[in-house]
Amino acid sequence: MRKSSSTCGLILAAGLSSRMGDFKPLMPFKGKTMIESTVDSLLSAGVKRIVIVLGYRGDDIESVLRHHYGKEIIYTRNPHYETTDMLTSIKYGIQAMPCCKSFFLLPGDMPVVKKGTFIKLMKACPTVRPAVLFPTLEGHRKHPPLIDYSFREAILSFNGEGGLRQIWKQQEDSIIHVPVDDEGVWMDLDTREDYDICISRFCPAKI
């Protein structure tokens, strides 16, 4: 039976990190690794179960995470990570996700989203209708969205062009924007410059 109070997380960590020049999930961050910091941000907000989609060097990531986390983490794989887009990884993640009320979708290279941002999105979630809630900063829609579990089938069945953006265009009436004061929603660390900027702003004394 669906638990109406439960919120899950879906973290995407299947990519090649080709633009970074290093393997992003295992780069040092706040005394841990980037992927651990991303996991911690969700757990700190009260998310109980997190699905992590792995691909490139998936065994290495899973080994690190299993050393520090237990049953709160569910591991799944995108075996076609080299040739598919983010939506494919999302589909694998949703298929592995336990039934819940809603889930956060968070790229694995966004390690500094504030606890308060997750909580604000959960508090803004309407009780009378399913919705997709996006944090916004300076009017821009950012990650992580909080997605009602009922959109699972719409995502899994989509096979057209445009990926997740096109899905949200089709669901525009269900989207709610939640303004936040959180630079972390900008911080997706694609390049070494992004990483260095994030380190200097959020953890200059220790990575």
Side-chain angles (χ1 to χ4, degrees):
M1 183 174 180
R2 180 173 170 180
K3 296 182 179 180
S4 61
S5 62
S6 60
T7 300
C8 289
L10 174 54
I11 294 178
L12 306 177
L16 295 166
S17 304
S18 54
R19 294 174 59 193
M20 178 64 74
D22 201 342
F23 186 51
K24 287 192 292 185
L26 301 186
M27 290 175 71
F29 199 90
K30 290 187 175 181
K32 296 185 177 183
T33 61
M34 191 184 302
I35 191 65
E36 288 173 280
S37 295
T38 302
V39 169
D40 288 346
S41 69
L42 277 168
L43 294 177
S44 73
V47 174
K48 301 299 184 184
R49 302 297 300 276
I50 298 173
V51 177
I52 298 185
V53 184
L54 303 173
Y56 179 62
R57 291 184 59 182
D59 289 345
D60 294 336
I61 298 174
E62 186 171 344
S63 177
V64 169
L65 294 177
R66 285 193 182 277
H67 185 69
H68 294 103
Y69 305 96
K71 293 181 180 179
E72 65 266 39
I73 307 296
I74 299 168
Y75 304 93
T76 191
R77 304 289 175 115
N78 174 2
H80 310 293
Y81 65 88
E82 291 186 86
T83 57
T84 55
D85 59 8
M86 183 176 72
L87 180 57
T88 302
S89 288
I90 292 170
K91 289 181 177 182
Y92 277 108
I94 290 175
Q95 288 171 331
M97 184 179 294
C99 190
C100 57
K101 176 186 177 183
S102 55
F103 61 95
F104 287 105
L105 175 61
L106 185 62
D109 60 357
M110 294 188 68
V112 289
V113 176
K114 290 180 179 178
K115 171 183 175 181
T117 293
F118 296 110
I119 293 174
K120 188 172 185 179
L121 289 166
M122 287 189 284
K123 287 183 175 180
C125 196
T127 58
V128 294
R129 63 183 177 92
V132 180
L133 293 90
F134 278 92
T136 61
L137 187 64
E138 298 177 3
H140 297 279
R141 186 185 290 181
K142 304 302 293 181
H143 279 88
L146 178 60
I147 303 166
D148 191 277
Y149 189 82
S150 64
F151 291 100
R152 179 181 190 272
E153 291 306 320
I155 295 171
L156 290 176
S157 64
F158 182 81
N159 290 309
E161 298 294 327
L164 200 60
R165 289 180 184 273
Q166 184 59 35
I167 295 175
W168 298 146
K169 285 181 181 179
Q170 296 174 359
Q171 305 292 339
E172 195 64 40
D173 290 345
S174 299
I175 289 177
I176 296 173
H177 293 135
V178 181
V180 298
D181 181 18
D182 181 3
E183 279 190 285
V185 301
W186 281 113
M187 290 288 165
D188 51 336
L189 309 186
D190 290 327
T191 67
R192 174 63 68 166
E193 181 181 8
D194 295 335
Y195 175 76
D196 290 341
I197 289 171
C198 189
I199 292 295
S200 67
R201 288 186 183 178
F202 291 92
C203 42
K206 182 179 179 181
I207 61 172

